[in-house]
Amino acid sequence: MFLGLDVGASYAKLVVIDANNKIMHSGRELMPLLNIDNNIAECNINKIIQTVHGLISSIDESIKNKIKRIAVTGQMHGILLVDEKNVPLTNFISWQDNRSTEPLNNNGTYLSFLKKNLLKYRGVTGTEIRPGMMGSILFWLRCNYSQIFNSKKVKATFLSDYIVSLLTDTRPVCDPTNAAGSGIYNIKSNKWIEDYFSLTGIPEDVLPDVVKSNAIVGEVNSKATHFLGIKEGVSVVSSFGDYQTAIHASEIDKKSIAINIGTGSQVSFLIDKFEESKKYEIRPHVNNLYTKCFSGLPGGRYIELFESFVNNVYQINRSTEHDFKVEGLRLTLVDSLVDNYYNAYQKLLTTREKLKVNSIILSGGVGRKSSLVQQAIKNKFNLKVVLPKSVNDAAYGVALLSKNA
């Protein structure tokens, strides 16, 4: 059996599949709340580890004893610093952290300084650098907590890679899907951007080594066996970005587009080769493929705001309820969201690519649950809408990948 673990922003999710891809166990646990204060968004890493422990402990022993391989995915941005013994030097700093938007002397903000000086690399990083990415957070930490970097052994790691390092008692590494989420990784040459280090004064060896996607990092060690109850010697795969594992779970191919609608939304299309572009994002995918996509599109957050608005209006003056055309407003909102996805699709695909597309794979909590959204997308695109097999799509996707490692 094969275990896939997704350490997400809202939930930690877990799926165990058998050799025939049948789901034998699944579960989820709420992630610990972030400590959000002004621009800070952090969480004690030990609380996250306890959440993972509780999730894995829920697996029946008869299933747990048959697990052959483990793979982990999780939120692609954010950062944790550890020392040479893998002991955390910081809290886990979330992708929601905005300290890099603070002023940097007379050079604008930390983020604008990086953007200006690394702009020429935008085509090969696949995305622009943003707050909450490893590149921008590291720069802020280097300027404000330089003492952390006094040790030559300090290492920056993504959350899911840190989980892998704990399971295997190895130093954190990352694969290209996570590295690309840093904003400072050259996807074309598969290297960290050298100018970043001279620009920031951060030693290159602070960044994790990048390993081949789906590589075996190590085996479950005795400490993890004692803590989690998974037998020693089980192989552990290098972790993946959750965007890629969710897409993989959807069984995307070159005749479909993927629309993921959760808190935010993405529209994605699978391609064979790297394309240097500043018009949309390019991301490394699994199996030596790539996706081009538009991300950060409006999604579930907007629907939640609408529902909150409606509830507040009703509470203020319930006598006007019969005049308030709620369903009409809801339809208008959904249609405007779908228009965004359709416009992204039009910009993302060439005419030749559009001729090949015959279906839309619709994933994410909102996409899966809302029949209204599903119908609106079907009407707008005039294409078949397909829903993925598992509600825990990223965890299911990484379980599939662990099977093929």
Side-chain angles (χ1 to χ4, degrees):
M1 294 189 185
F2 307 89
L3 188 157
L5 174 66
D6 172 22
V7 190
S10 300
Y11 288 91
K13 304 173 187 177
L14 180 148
V15 168
V16 179
I17 61 172
D18 66 10
N20 297 313
N21 299 340
K22 181 181 178 182
I23 297 175
M24 305 303 295
H25 175 87
S26 64
R28 60 168 57 190
E29 291 277 350
L30 273 170
M31 286 285 283
L33 292 176
L34 293 173
N35 175 25
I36 298 179
D37 182 19
N38 293 324
N39 290 320
I40 298 172
E42 297 183 346
C43 183
N44 186 306
I45 186 62
N46 291 324
K47 292 182 179 180
I48 297 175
I49 300 304
Q50 288 295 331
T51 300
V52 171
H53 174 263
L55 194 57
I56 294 178
S57 297
S58 69
I59 304 173
D60 188 87
E61 291 299 321
S62 62
I63 293 176
K64 193 183 293 187
N65 291 334
K66 295 178 182 177
I67 293 172
K68 295 181 178 179
R69 199 169 298 129
I70 299 172
V72 185
T73 185
Q75 41 196 301
M76 295 164 56
H77 310 305
I79 184 175
L80 174 73
L81 294 184
V82 298
D83 67 11
E84 68 275 13
K85 295 182 179 179
N86 224 21
V87 176
L89 297 171
T90 66
N91 287 327
F92 168 63
I93 303 173
S94 163
W95 57 270
Q96 298 178 57
D97 193 273
N98 281 301
R99 278 174 278 188
S100 63
T101 64
E102 295 173 355
L104 171 65
N105 300 325
N106 296 319
N107 294 308
T109 67
Y110 296 89
L111 184 63
S112 64
F113 176 76
L114 290 177
K115 280 186 174 183
K116 177 183 177 181
N117 288 280
L118 299 177
L119 181 62
K120 61 183 177 181
Y121 296 105
R122 169 61 183 83
V124 294
T125 58
T127 183
E128 68 176 17
I129 191 166
R130 298 192 294 268
M133 286 184 166
M134 180 176 282
S136 55
I137 295 173
L138 258 183
F139 181 42
W140 187 94
L141 288 171
R142 178 70 179 84
C143 293
N144 293 274
Y145 290 96
S146 58
Q147 68 273 15
I148 297 179
F149 296 86
N150 290 339
S151 168
K152 294 182 180 180
K153 300 293 185 179
V154 63
K155 186 69 72 175
T157 178
F158 298 96
L159 179 58
S160 56
D161 292 314
Y162 180 65
I163 301 296
V164 168
S165 73
L166 290 182
L167 289 171
T168 57
D169 198 21
T170 57
R171 289 287 274 167
V173 297
C174 72
D175 91 322
T177 65
N178 270 332
S182 67
I184 54 170
Y185 184 71
N186 187 326
I187 300 171
K188 188 175 182 179
S189 64
N190 292 312
K191 294 179 180 178
W192 300 109
I193 294 174
E194 290 185 6
D195 282 3
Y196 173 80
F197 304 108
S198 58
L199 189 66
T200 62
I202 295 170
E204 187 170 353
D205 59 8
V206 169
L207 274 293
D209 293 334
V210 182
V211 299
K212 185 179 178 181
S213 188
N214 224 17
I216 300 294
V217 172
E219 298 179 341
V220 172
N221 64 78
S222 57
K223 292 180 183 177
T225 295
H226 176 74
F227 185 60
L228 298 173
I230 294 175
K231 62 184 179 182
E232 193 171 350
V234 172
S235 298
V236 184
V237 182
S238 58
S239 80
F240 304 83
D242 56 357
Y243 162 83
Q244 286 84 358
T245 54
I247 294 265
H248 184 68
S250 73
E251 299 182 347
I252 189 175
D253 58 26
K254 293 161 195 171
K255 294 183 179 180
S256 60
I257 59 171
I259 301 178
N260 180 284
I261 313 175
T263 303
S265 300
Q266 305 95 27
V267 176
S268 308
F269 184 72
L270 199 63
I271 54 176
D272 289 314
K273 299 178 180 179
F274 174 78
E275 294 180 4
E276 194 167 325
S277 175
K278 296 181 181 180
K279 296 179 180 179
Y280 41 74
E281 293 188 37
I282 298 290
R283 300 185 181 185
H285 194 54
V286 301
N287 301 326
N288 298 315
L289 297 172
Y290 298 85
T291 58
K292 53 181 179 178
C293 72
F294 280 107
S295 65
L297 298 172
R301 185 183 293 112
Y302 286 80
I303 295 176
E304 288 177 2
L305 287 172
F306 168 79
E307 298 294 349
S308 176
F309 165 74
V310 170
N311 289 335
N312 287 336
V313 169
Y314 280 3
Q315 289 174 5
I316 291 169
N317 192 351
R318 292 178 180 271
S319 65
T320 64
E321 184 172 335
H322 66 283
D323 294 323
F324 196 70
K325 306 298 183 181
V326 176
E327 198 56 38
L329 285 174
R330 185 179 284 111
L331 287 170
T332 301
L333 174 64
V334 169
D335 285 342
S336 68
L337 292 179
V338 173
D339 282 343
N340 276 284
Y341 311 147
Y342 187 76
N343 291 336
Y345 157 76
Q346 292 288 354
K347 295 175 183 177
L348 201 59
L349 276 67
T350 65
T351 301
R352 181 176 294 181
E353 288 169 340
K354 289 173 189 171
L355 291 173
K356 296 179 181 179
V357 172
N358 58 23
S359 64
I360 295 172
I361 299 171
L362 188 58
S363 61
V366 176
R368 176 178 292 278
K369 295 174 184 178
S370 174
S371 59
L372 188 63
V373 170
Q374 294 166 16
Q375 189 60 50
I377 288 177
K378 186 175 181 180
N379 292 342
K380 184 69 178 181
F381 286 81
N382 196 27
L383 292 169
K384 178 175 67 173
V385 173
V386 179
L387 300 180
K389 295 177 181 177
S390 173
V391 295
N392 298 324
D393 44 7
Y396 179 69
V398 80
L400 292 174
L401 288 166
S402 73
K403 175 186 169 185
N404 298 322

